[in-house]
């Protein structure tokens, strides 16, 4: 079943993953198109996280391959995946609470300048660029030097998404982005995802809450016991049908 | 009703509040306030406290616990502890003097003993990070182990400070006017470590490692490599400060540095470093070390019995944590 937004950006073919004798993924095929929002749903233990960890370079598949824009790729670390334009946002690991916004946005990819042989952080440019990145996602913060601890859950997601967009991520994986968020803030996150799509960035929205993902997704993929049991465009299905698939 | 749109407009932050918030957000504010308070208190108790001679006395021993505290601060920010620094402090000069005794050139002996200290740090790091034992335990073991080895080497008697070490002594702790060279090294070191921590990638990654190692890992930083380097740095600085004290006292005491591990942690915490990692300041740690020196000296000048020392440190320590926490919260709430 083709997504409505055109060609395939990334495709995972026949992915298998075992942990000891436990089989977490049994031959899953999964694809994401350009500018497409894919909802990845399933109950706890269905294999959602494992599939995403394979895609984002946390660990390699035991069988199967990943094809990015027509070429087979092997990621040996999340860093490799990031360099290929695939970035994951996970609430607990997205930001360092004790650091300010600009340092978070540029963490691991700091802007620097040289003072003789010494390489120093360019905090001023990092603050300016952060402010620009935050404006892109429509997030108004008092200052890019504010501590992340001061931010609400939705604002934190906004900072993480701003970071991904700043670094030209082409596929953003959002792992349970609406967990523990108020209704208002969840809606804000959904808005971010729509904005991403408008800017040509694909995203995978992982959740066990169909009500959050359904309005935002172009296509929904349901995993169960490590197998893909459904892969449907949103207009061809309904929340009721998907719920039935997930729990049946 | 028509007042609502106006009221919703956020009022511009007044300049004064902005500036105050700026000051409160400086990590070193609370330790600096306590430093001023302690200076004032001891000056009132004994005006001689601020005499030039006495200031020289206070600063004379400052680099020893100060350099130690600078290393411990870095390590704590990265999220680990080192309780073995006090023993390494004694170990380094003992090894240097023993090697010199065996006929090794004193400079070479110093180089070897400092290199051994780095190895101790590397050992602490490897055991903690590879075998995943809490550093509190690893370095508690190290504290006993290295003190024990110091006692084994010396059999409990302080070896003689070698006469050929006079040049080394002049370089480490030579007198320049009222102060010793070691104070200049200390100030330079604090400045360098401040730059490293606040203005380099390594420093940024040290904060991230202590703040949230999982985030660091996701963003391609190896928290273990960062911690490892801080372990090595801490042990190296512990050895260096041990050499400075031994040179100053012209004595290599097997009991040197006892309790210094706790003083160093106290200095770091007074300076705003959090036990949980991710937050801290090298300058704060230096202020904390100075505060400890001032309390030590000020009580003597005021004629108080020495027992008061620990009581005062305890009060300052707890006060510092309370101040740091409340000031941070206040600064965050001052949005308007």
């Amino acid at each position: 079943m083709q997504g409505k937004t055109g060609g395939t950006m990334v495709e995972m073919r026949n992915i298998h993953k075992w942990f000891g004798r436990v089989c977490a993924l049994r031959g899953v095929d999964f694809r994401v198109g350009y500018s497409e929002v894919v909802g990845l749903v399933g109950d706890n233990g269905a294999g959602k996280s494992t599939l995403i960890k394979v895609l984002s370079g946390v660990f390699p598949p035991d069988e199967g391959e990943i094809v990015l824009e027509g070429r087979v790729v092997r990621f040996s670390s999340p860093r490799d995946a990031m360099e290929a334009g695939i970035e994951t946002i996970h609430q607990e690991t997205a930001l360092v609470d004790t650091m300010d916004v600009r340092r978070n946005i540029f963490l691991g990819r700091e802007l620097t300048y040289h003072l003789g042989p010494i390489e120093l952080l360019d905090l001023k440019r990092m603050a300016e660029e952060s402010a620009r990145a935050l404006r892109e996602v429509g997030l108004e913060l008092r200052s890019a030097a504010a501590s992340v601890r001061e931010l609400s859950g939705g604002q934190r997601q906004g900072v993480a998404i701003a970071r991904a967009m700043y670094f030209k991520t082409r596929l953003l994986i959002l792992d349970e982005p609406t967990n523990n968020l108020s209704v208002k803030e969840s809606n804000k996150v959904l808005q971010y995802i729509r904005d991403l799509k408008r800017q040509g960035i694909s995203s995978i929205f992982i959740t066990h809450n169909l009500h959050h993902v359904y309005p935002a997704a172009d296509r929904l993929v349901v995993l169960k016991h490590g197998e893909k049991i459904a892969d449907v465009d949103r207009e061809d299905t309904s929340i009721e049908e998907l719920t039935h698939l997930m729990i049946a | 009703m028509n007042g609502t749109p106006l009221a919703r407009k956020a009022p511009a932050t007044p300049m004064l509040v902005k500036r105050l918030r700026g000051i409160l957000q400086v990590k070193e504010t609370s330790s600096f306030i306590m430093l001023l308070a302690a200076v004032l208190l001891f000056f009132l108790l004994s005006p001689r406290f601020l005499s030039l001679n006495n200031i020289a006395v206070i600063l004379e021993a400052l680099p020893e616990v100060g350099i130690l505290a600078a290393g411990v601060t870095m390590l704590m920010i990265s999220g680990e502890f080192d309780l073995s620094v006090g023993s390494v402090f004694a170990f380094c000069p003992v090894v240097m003097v023993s090697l010199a005794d065996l006929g090794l050139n004193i400079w070479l002996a110093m180089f070897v003993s400092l290199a051994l200290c780095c190895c101790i740090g590397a050992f602490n790091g490897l055991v903690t990070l590879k075998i995943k034992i809490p550093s509190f335990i690893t370095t508690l073991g190290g504290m006993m182990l290295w003190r024990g080895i110091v006692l084994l080497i010396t059999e409990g008697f302080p070896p003689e400070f070698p006469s050929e070490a006079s040049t080394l002594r002049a370089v480490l702790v030579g007198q320049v006017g009222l102060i010793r060279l070691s104070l200049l090294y200390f100030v330079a070191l604090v400045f360098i470590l401040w730059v490293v921590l606040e203005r380099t990638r390594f420093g940024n990654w040290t904060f991230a490692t202590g703040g949230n190692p999982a985030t660091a890992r996701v963003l391609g930083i190896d928290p273990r490599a960062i911690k490892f380097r801080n372990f090595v740095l801490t042990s190296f600085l512990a050895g260096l400060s041990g050499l400075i004290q031994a040179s100053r006292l012209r004595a290599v005491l097997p009991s040197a540095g006892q309790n210094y591990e706790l003083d160093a942690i106290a200095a770091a915490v007074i300076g705003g470093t959090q036990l949980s990692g991710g937050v801290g300041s090298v300058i704060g740690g230096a202020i904390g070390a100075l505060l400890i020196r001032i309390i030590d000296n000020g009580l003597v000048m005021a004629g108080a019995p020495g027992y008061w020392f620990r009581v005062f440190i305890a009060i300052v320590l707890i006060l510092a944590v309370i101040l740091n926490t409340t000031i941070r919260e206040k600064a965050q709430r001052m949005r308007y």
Side-chain angles (χ1 to χ4, degrees), chain A residues 79 82 92-96 98-99 103 107-108 110 119-121 123 142 150 163, chain B residues 21 195 198-201 204-205 208 211-212 214-215 218-219 221 278-279 332 335:
Chain A
R79 191 75 204 215
M82 276 160 68
E92 276 87 69
T93 61
L95 305 171
V96 181
T98 46
M99 296 173 85
R103 282 178 187 258
L107 189 57
E110 291 83 356
E119 193 179 12
L120 298 173
L121 297 185
L123 290 177
R142 173 165 62 73
E150 299 174 35
R163 174 173 62 198
Chain B
R21 182 169 60 203
V195 171
E198 305 285 342
R199 292 288 183 276
T200 69
R201 282 209 167 106
N204 212 37
W205 297 355
N212 192 344
T215 310
V218 167
L219 291 170
I221 298 161
V279 178
Q332 277 175 17
R335 282 167 190 241

mmCIF file of all heavy atoms in Angstrom, chain A residues 79 82 92-96 98-99 103 107-108 110 119-121 123 142 150 163, chain B residues 21 195 198-201 204-205 208 211-212 214-215 218-219 221 278-279 332 335:
data_model
loop_
_atom_site.group_PDB
_atom_site.id
_atom_site.type_symbol
_atom_site.label_atom_id
_atom_site.label_comp_id
_atom_site.label_asym_id
_atom_site.label_seq_id
_atom_site.Cartn_x
_atom_site.Cartn_y
_atom_site.Cartn_z
ATOM 1 N N ARG A 79 25.006 8.012 16.352
ATOM 2 C CA ARG A 79 25.702 9.101 15.683
ATOM 3 C C ARG A 79 25.683 8.916 14.144
ATOM 4 O O ARG A 79 25.457 9.865 13.408
ATOM 5 C CB ARG A 79 27.149 9.112 16.194
ATOM 6 C CG ARG A 79 27.942 10.315 15.822
ATOM 7 C CD ARG A 79 27.517 11.475 16.661
ATOM 8 N NE ARG A 79 27.812 12.721 15.986
ATOM 9 C CZ ARG A 79 28.198 13.817 16.632
ATOM 10 N NH1 ARG A 79 28.307 13.804 17.934
ATOM 11 N NH2 ARG A 79 28.426 14.911 15.979
ATOM 12 N N MET A 82 22.328 9.787 12.943
ATOM 13 C CA MET A 82 22.132 11.228 12.971
ATOM 14 C C MET A 82 22.789 11.876 11.770
ATOM 15 O O MET A 82 22.254 12.793 11.170
ATOM 16 C CB MET A 82 22.708 11.809 14.265
ATOM 17 C CG MET A 82 21.745 11.725 15.440
ATOM 18 S SD MET A 82 22.585 11.867 17.039
ATOM 19 C CE MET A 82 23.123 13.551 16.987
ATOM 20 N N GLU A 92 12.765 11.137 27.991
ATOM 21 C CA GLU A 92 13.719 11.085 29.108
ATOM 22 C C GLU A 92 15.145 11.441 28.708
ATOM 23 O O GLU A 92 15.928 11.876 29.531
ATOM 24 C CB GLU A 92 13.742 9.691 29.749
ATOM 25 C CG GLU A 92 12.656 9.463 30.772
ATOM 26 C CD GLU A 92 11.389 8.968 30.104
ATOM 27 O OE1 GLU A 92 11.404 7.825 29.626
ATOM 28 O OE2 GLU A 92 10.415 9.713 30.040
ATOM 29 N N THR A 93 15.466 11.217 27.441
ATOM 30 C CA THR A 93 16.862 11.437 27.063
ATOM 31 C C THR A 93 17.038 12.612 26.103
ATOM 32 O O THR A 93 18.120 12.834 25.598
ATOM 33 C CB THR A 93 17.440 10.173 26.384
ATOM 34 O OG1 THR A 93 16.675 9.919 25.215
ATOM 35 C CG2 THR A 93 17.392 8.978 27.298
ATOM 36 N N ALA A 94 15.963 13.361 25.876
ATOM 37 C CA ALA A 94 16.065 14.427 24.877
ATOM 38 C C ALA A 94 16.980 15.549 25.345
ATOM 39 O O ALA A 94 17.791 16.046 24.586
ATOM 40 C CB ALA A 94 14.682 14.974 24.556
ATOM 41 N N LEU A 95 16.837 15.948 26.604
ATOM 42 C CA LEU A 95 17.550 17.129 27.077
ATOM 43 C C LEU A 95 18.227 16.885 28.419
ATOM 44 O O LEU A 95 17.810 16.021 29.187
ATOM 45 C CB LEU A 95 16.572 18.304 27.246
ATOM 46 C CG LEU A 95 15.733 18.684 26.027
ATOM 47 C CD1 LEU A 95 14.676 19.704 26.426
ATOM 48 C CD2 LEU A 95 16.599 19.217 24.917
ATOM 49 N N VAL A 96 19.274 17.654 28.680
ATOM 50 C CA VAL A 96 19.917 17.631 29.994
ATOM 51 C C VAL A 96 19.304 18.769 30.819
ATOM 52 O O VAL A 96 19.493 19.938 30.502
ATOM 53 C CB VAL A 96 21.444 17.834 29.879
ATOM 54 C CG1 VAL A 96 22.082 17.790 31.265
ATOM 55 C CG2 VAL A 96 22.056 16.776 28.981
ATOM 56 N N THR A 98 19.936 20.073 33.621
ATOM 57 C CA THR A 98 20.780 21.003 34.371
ATOM 58 C C THR A 98 21.504 21.997 33.460
ATOM 59 O O THR A 98 22.237 22.849 33.946
ATOM 60 C CB THR A 98 21.821 20.211 35.179
ATOM 61 O OG1 THR A 98 22.392 19.223 34.323
ATOM 62 C CG2 THR A 98 21.181 19.521 36.355
ATOM 63 N N MET A 99 21.306 21.864 32.150
ATOM 64 C CA MET A 99 22.006 22.774 31.237
ATOM 65 C C MET A 99 21.019 23.725 30.570
ATOM 66 O O MET A 99 19.825 23.455 30.535
ATOM 67 C CB MET A 99 22.765 21.961 30.181
ATOM 68 C CG MET A 99 23.862 21.118 30.791
ATOM 69 S SD MET A 99 24.629 20.010 29.605
ATOM 70 C CE MET A 99 25.850 21.084 28.871
ATOM 71 N N ARG A 103 22.950 25.306 25.172
ATOM 72 C CA ARG A 103 23.913 24.212 25.318
ATOM 73 C C ARG A 103 23.263 22.874 24.984
ATOM 74 O O ARG A 103 23.910 21.962 24.480
ATOM 75 C CB ARG A 103 24.491 24.190 26.732
ATOM 76 C CG ARG A 103 25.574 25.247 26.966
ATOM 77 C CD ARG A 103 26.072 25.203 28.399
ATOM 78 N NE ARG A 103 26.971 26.291 28.718
ATOM 79 C CZ ARG A 103 28.310 26.161 28.777
ATOM 80 N NH1 ARG A 103 28.872 25.002 28.530
ATOM 81 N NH2 ARG A 103 29.054 27.196 29.071
ATOM 82 N N LEU A 107 24.482 20.424 22.035
ATOM 83 C CA LEU A 107 25.240 19.392 22.739
ATOM 84 C C LEU A 107 25.757 18.326 21.765
ATOM 85 O O LEU A 107 24.995 17.731 21.009
ATOM 86 C CB LEU A 107 24.373 18.741 23.827
ATOM 87 C CG LEU A 107 25.102 17.793 24.777
ATOM 88 C CD1 LEU A 107 26.259 18.489 25.466
ATOM 89 C CD2 LEU A 107 24.133 17.254 25.823
ATOM 90 N N GLY A 108 27.068 18.108 21.802
ATOM 91 C CA GLY A 108 27.687 17.128 20.915
ATOM 92 C C GLY A 108 28.017 17.701 19.541
ATOM 93 O O GLY A 108 28.749 17.087 18.774
ATOM 94 N N GLU A 110 28.752 21.279 19.177
ATOM 95 C CA GLU A 110 28.964 22.656 19.609
ATOM 96 C C GLU A 110 29.565 23.536 18.513
ATOM 97 O O GLU A 110 30.358 23.065 17.695
ATOM 98 C CB GLU A 110 29.895 22.678 20.840
ATOM 99 C CG GLU A 110 29.295 22.112 22.115
ATOM 100 C CD GLU A 110 29.386 20.595 22.192
ATOM 101 O OE1 GLU A 110 29.846 19.959 21.216
ATOM 102 O OE2 GLU A 110 28.989 20.040 23.238
ATOM 103 N N GLU A 119 40.496 25.517 21.077
ATOM 104 C CA GLU A 119 39.164 25.580 20.509
ATOM 105 C C GLU A 119 38.163 25.897 21.621
ATOM 106 O O GLU A 119 38.050 25.153 22.594
ATOM 107 C CB GLU A 119 38.824 24.234 19.859
ATOM 108 C CG GLU A 119 37.604 24.298 18.988
ATOM 109 C CD GLU A 119 37.298 22.957 18.340
ATOM 110 O OE1 GLU A 119 37.893 21.943 18.754
ATOM 111 O OE2 GLU A 119 36.455 22.937 17.426
ATOM 112 N N LEU A 120 37.470 27.022 21.501
ATOM 113 C CA LEU A 120 36.551 27.449 22.549
ATOM 114 C C LEU A 120 35.107 27.484 22.044
ATOM 115 O O LEU A 120 34.855 27.685 20.861
ATOM 116 C CB LEU A 120 36.944 28.838 23.061
ATOM 117 C CG LEU A 120 38.330 28.937 23.713
ATOM 118 C CD1 LEU A 120 38.663 30.382 24.024
ATOM 119 C CD2 LEU A 120 38.393 28.095 24.978
ATOM 120 N N LEU A 121 34.176 27.303 22.982
ATOM 121 C CA LEU A 121 32.760 27.339 22.628
ATOM 122 C C LEU A 121 32.365 28.754 22.235
ATOM 123 O O LEU A 121 32.726 29.719 22.905
ATOM 124 C CB LEU A 121 31.900 26.911 23.816
ATOM 125 C CG LEU A 121 32.062 25.494 24.349
ATOM 126 C CD1 LEU A 121 31.035 25.253 25.451
ATOM 127 C CD2 LEU A 121 31.877 24.484 23.230
ATOM 128 N N LEU A 123 29.600 30.665 22.620
ATOM 129 C CA LEU A 123 28.298 30.682 23.304
ATOM 130 C C LEU A 123 27.363 31.722 22.697
ATOM 131 O O LEU A 123 26.156 31.518 22.643
ATOM 132 C CB LEU A 123 28.501 30.965 24.802
ATOM 133 C CG LEU A 123 29.165 29.833 25.591
ATOM 134 C CD1 LEU A 123 29.370 30.247 27.035
ATOM 135 C CD2 LEU A 123 28.322 28.573 25.538
ATOM 136 N N ARG A 142 12.016 32.898 27.117
ATOM 137 C CA ARG A 142 12.559 34.150 27.643
ATOM 138 C C ARG A 142 13.968 34.364 27.105
ATOM 139 O O ARG A 142 14.318 35.443 26.654
ATOM 140 C CB ARG A 142 12.563 34.089 29.170
ATOM 141 C CG ARG A 142 13.247 35.257 29.838
ATOM 142 C CD ARG A 142 12.902 35.329 31.315
ATOM 143 N NE ARG A 142 13.333 34.156 32.067
ATOM 144 C CZ ARG A 142 14.594 33.893 32.379
ATOM 145 N NH1 ARG A 142 15.544 34.688 31.998
ATOM 146 N NH2 ARG A 142 14.909 32.816 33.061
ATOM 147 N N GLU A 150 13.349 24.951 33.740
ATOM 148 C CA GLU A 150 12.228 25.886 33.861
ATOM 149 C C GLU A 150 11.108 25.584 32.865
ATOM 150 O O GLU A 150 10.036 26.166 32.952
ATOM 151 C CB GLU A 150 12.704 27.321 33.594
ATOM 152 C CG GLU A 150 13.740 27.825 34.539
ATOM 153 C CD GLU A 150 14.265 29.197 34.099
ATOM 154 O OE1 GLU A 150 13.476 29.987 33.565
ATOM 155 O OE2 GLU A 150 15.461 29.450 34.281
ATOM 156 N N ARG A 163 15.945 21.499 17.711
ATOM 157 C CA ARG A 163 17.311 21.010 17.518
ATOM 158 C C ARG A 163 17.398 20.119 16.280
ATOM 159 O O ARG A 163 18.265 20.284 15.433
ATOM 160 C CB ARG A 163 17.767 20.222 18.756
ATOM 161 C CG ARG A 163 19.127 19.554 18.562
ATOM 162 C CD ARG A 163 19.631 18.927 19.832
ATOM 163 N NE ARG A 163 18.743 17.886 20.301
ATOM 164 C CZ ARG A 163 18.734 17.409 21.542
ATOM 165 N NH1 ARG A 163 19.555 17.904 22.439
ATOM 166 N NH2 ARG A 163 17.905 16.462 21.886
ATOM 167 N N ARG B 21 18.442 39.362 38.838
ATOM 168 C CA ARG B 21 18.310 37.973 38.412
ATOM 169 C C ARG B 21 19.629 37.478 37.828
ATOM 170 O O ARG B 21 20.066 36.365 38.075
ATOM 171 C CB ARG B 21 17.203 37.851 37.357
ATOM 172 C CG ARG B 21 16.987 36.412 36.918
ATOM 173 C CD ARG B 21 15.738 36.286 36.103
ATOM 174 N NE ARG B 21 15.809 37.101 34.914
ATOM 175 C CZ ARG B 21 14.748 37.537 34.240
ATOM 176 N NH1 ARG B 21 13.549 37.249 34.672
ATOM 177 N NH2 ARG B 21 14.888 38.257 33.165
ATOM 178 N N VAL B 195 38.065 27.844 32.229
ATOM 179 C CA VAL B 195 37.943 27.901 30.769
ATOM 180 C C VAL B 195 37.564 26.527 30.224
ATOM 181 O O VAL B 195 36.644 26.394 29.410
ATOM 182 C CB VAL B 195 39.258 28.398 30.122
ATOM 183 C CG1 VAL B 195 39.203 28.240 28.604
ATOM 184 C CG2 VAL B 195 39.509 29.851 30.480
ATOM 185 N N GLU B 198 33.819 25.725 31.306
ATOM 186 C CA GLU B 198 32.735 26.583 30.833
ATOM 187 C C GLU B 198 32.824 26.909 29.347
ATOM 188 O O GLU B 198 31.847 27.347 28.749
ATOM 189 C CB GLU B 198 32.726 27.904 31.624
ATOM 190 C CG GLU B 198 32.659 27.743 33.139
ATOM 191 C CD GLU B 198 31.278 27.348 33.622
ATOM 192 O OE1 GLU B 198 30.306 27.519 32.867
ATOM 193 O OE2 GLU B 198 31.172 26.882 34.772
ATOM 194 N N ARG B 199 34.007 26.747 28.759
ATOM 195 C CA ARG B 199 34.175 27.256 27.405
ATOM 196 C C ARG B 199 34.730 26.238 26.415
ATOM 197 O O ARG B 199 35.101 26.606 25.309
ATOM 198 C CB ARG B 199 35.107 28.487 27.416
ATOM 199 C CG ARG B 199 34.533 29.714 28.106
ATOM 200 C CD ARG B 199 33.431 30.360 27.273
ATOM 201 N NE ARG B 199 32.920 31.572 27.884
ATOM 202 C CZ ARG B 199 31.968 31.597 28.829
ATOM 203 N NH1 ARG B 199 31.441 30.478 29.273
ATOM 204 N NH2 ARG B 199 31.554 32.739 29.325
ATOM 205 N N THR B 200 34.852 24.965 26.813
ATOM 206 C CA THR B 200 35.318 23.973 25.841
ATOM 207 C C THR B 200 34.314 22.835 25.725
ATOM 208 O O THR B 200 33.439 22.673 26.568
ATOM 209 C CB THR B 200 36.679 23.347 26.225
ATOM 210 O OG1 THR B 200 36.490 22.519 27.372
ATOM 211 C CG2 THR B 200 37.726 24.399 26.519
ATOM 212 N N ARG B 201 34.463 22.070 24.643
ATOM 213 C CA ARG B 201 33.619 20.900 24.435
ATOM 214 C C ARG B 201 33.726 19.936 25.607
ATOM 215 O O ARG B 201 32.726 19.435 26.099
ATOM 216 C CB ARG B 201 34.071 20.160 23.180
ATOM 217 C CG ARG B 201 33.629 20.795 21.913
ATOM 218 C CD ARG B 201 33.463 19.727 20.833
ATOM 219 N NE ARG B 201 32.758 20.325 19.724
ATOM 220 C CZ ARG B 201 33.343 20.666 18.568
ATOM 221 N NH1 ARG B 201 34.617 20.401 18.376
ATOM 222 N NH2 ARG B 201 32.644 21.223 17.614
ATOM 223 N N ASN B 204 31.697 21.124 28.453
ATOM 224 C CA ASN B 204 30.278 20.991 28.145
ATOM 225 C C ASN B 204 29.837 19.536 28.303
ATOM 226 O O ASN B 204 28.769 19.244 28.838
ATOM 227 C CB ASN B 204 30.047 21.468 26.705
ATOM 228 C CG ASN B 204 28.685 22.088 26.517
ATOM 229 O OD1 ASN B 204 28.177 22.770 27.406
ATOM 230 N ND2 ASN B 204 28.075 21.838 25.372
ATOM 231 N N TRP B 205 30.690 18.635 27.845
ATOM 232 C CA TRP B 205 30.359 17.211 27.912
ATOM 233 C C TRP B 205 30.460 16.699 29.350
ATOM 234 O O TRP B 205 29.792 15.736 29.723
ATOM 235 C CB TRP B 205 31.278 16.409 26.980
ATOM 236 C CG TRP B 205 31.097 16.790 25.536
ATOM 237 C CD1 TRP B 205 30.157 17.674 25.046
ATOM 238 C CD2 TRP B 205 31.828 16.333 24.409
ATOM 239 N NE1 TRP B 205 30.283 17.783 23.696
ATOM 240 C CE2 TRP B 205 31.289 16.982 23.258
ATOM 241 C CE3 TRP B 205 32.881 15.445 24.256
ATOM 242 C CZ2 TRP B 205 31.791 16.747 21.982
ATOM 243 C CZ3 TRP B 205 33.378 15.213 22.970
ATOM 244 C CH2 TRP B 205 32.837 15.855 21.852
ATOM 245 N N ALA B 208 27.182 17.622 30.796
ATOM 246 C CA ALA B 208 26.138 16.758 30.243
ATOM 247 C C ALA B 208 26.217 15.351 30.850
ATOM 248 O O ALA B 208 25.199 14.749 31.183
ATOM 249 C CB ALA B 208 26.272 16.683 28.727
ATOM 250 N N GLY B 211 24.860 15.563 34.255
ATOM 251 C CA GLY B 211 23.446 15.965 34.264
ATOM 252 C C GLY B 211 22.520 14.867 33.789
ATOM 253 O O GLY B 211 21.492 14.597 34.400
ATOM 254 N N ASN B 212 22.869 14.231 32.675
ATOM 255 C CA ASN B 212 22.042 13.151 32.138
ATOM 256 C C ASN B 212 22.870 12.324 31.156
ATOM 257 O O ASN B 212 22.909 12.610 29.969
ATOM 258 C CB ASN B 212 20.795 13.728 31.443
ATOM 259 C CG ASN B 212 19.768 12.651 31.119
ATOM 260 O OD1 ASN B 212 20.070 11.462 31.130
ATOM 261 N ND2 ASN B 212 18.552 13.069 30.854
ATOM 262 N N ALA B 214 22.432 9.561 29.787
ATOM 263 C CA ALA B 214 21.690 8.948 28.683
ATOM 264 C C ALA B 214 21.578 9.928 27.515
ATOM 265 O O ALA B 214 21.746 9.550 26.354
ATOM 266 C CB ALA B 214 20.307 8.517 29.157
ATOM 267 N N THR B 215 21.314 11.183 27.822
ATOM 268 C CA THR B 215 21.228 12.202 26.771
ATOM 269 C C THR B 215 22.573 12.342 26.073
ATOM 270 O O THR B 215 22.645 12.392 24.844
ATOM 271 C CB THR B 215 20.844 13.570 27.374
ATOM 272 O OG1 THR B 215 19.705 13.392 28.193
ATOM 273 C CG2 THR B 215 20.550 14.575 26.293
ATOM 274 N N VAL B 218 23.076 9.503 23.683
ATOM 275 C CA VAL B 218 22.240 9.618 22.487
ATOM 276 C C VAL B 218 22.841 10.627 21.512
ATOM 277 O O VAL B 218 22.765 10.460 20.305
ATOM 278 C CB VAL B 218 20.804 10.048 22.884
ATOM 279 C CG1 VAL B 218 20.022 10.478 21.663
ATOM 280 C CG2 VAL B 218 20.099 8.907 23.598
ATOM 281 N N LEU B 219 23.465 11.678 22.060
ATOM 282 C CA LEU B 219 23.999 12.723 21.192
ATOM 283 C C LEU B 219 25.449 12.453 20.789
ATOM 284 O O LEU B 219 26.149 13.350 20.328
ATOM 285 C CB LEU B 219 23.869 14.084 21.880
ATOM 286 C CG LEU B 219 22.408 14.534 22.011
ATOM 287 C CD1 LEU B 219 22.288 15.753 22.900
ATOM 288 C CD2 LEU B 219 21.808 14.825 20.646
ATOM 289 N N ILE B 221 28.081 11.425 22.653
ATOM 290 C CA ILE B 221 29.165 11.652 23.607
ATOM 291 C C ILE B 221 29.323 10.374 24.429
ATOM 292 O O ILE B 221 28.328 9.760 24.803
ATOM 293 C CB ILE B 221 28.813 12.828 24.546
ATOM 294 C CG1 ILE B 221 28.639 14.112 23.734
ATOM 295 C CG2 ILE B 221 29.859 13.005 25.631
ATOM 296 C CD1 ILE B 221 27.869 15.191 24.457
ATOM 297 N N GLY B 278 26.384 17.237 37.368
ATOM 298 C CA GLY B 278 25.779 18.095 36.360
ATOM 299 C C GLY B 278 25.770 19.579 36.682
ATOM 300 O O GLY B 278 25.533 20.395 35.811
ATOM 301 N N VAL B 279 25.992 19.917 37.943
ATOM 302 C CA VAL B 279 25.975 21.318 38.361
ATOM 303 C C VAL B 279 27.207 21.582 39.203
ATOM 304 O O VAL B 279 27.544 20.778 40.072
ATOM 305 C CB VAL B 279 24.718 21.633 39.211
ATOM 306 C CG1 VAL B 279 24.740 23.076 39.688
ATOM 307 C CG2 VAL B 279 23.459 21.359 38.413
ATOM 308 N N GLN B 332 14.823 31.629 39.286
ATOM 309 C CA GLN B 332 13.974 31.074 38.247
ATOM 310 C C GLN B 332 12.582 31.674 38.277
ATOM 311 O O GLN B 332 11.934 31.828 37.260
ATOM 312 C CB GLN B 332 13.883 29.557 38.413
ATOM 313 C CG GLN B 332 15.076 28.877 37.777
ATOM 314 C CD GLN B 332 15.071 27.392 38.019
ATOM 315 O OE1 GLN B 332 14.056 26.822 38.371
ATOM 316 N NE2 GLN B 332 16.209 26.772 37.836
ATOM 317 N N ARG B 335 10.497 35.959 36.858
ATOM 318 C CA ARG B 335 10.336 36.053 35.413
ATOM 319 C C ARG B 335 9.945 37.457 35.001
ATOM 320 O O ARG B 335 10.130 37.866 33.869
ATOM 321 C CB ARG B 335 9.290 35.062 34.953
ATOM 322 C CG ARG B 335 9.885 33.673 34.910
ATOM 323 C CD ARG B 335 8.803 32.646 34.778
ATOM 324 N NE ARG B 335 9.420 31.333 34.974
ATOM 325 C CZ ARG B 335 9.417 30.393 34.042
ATOM 326 N NH1 ARG B 335 8.876 30.608 32.880
ATOM 327 N NH2 ARG B 335 9.970 29.243 34.281
#
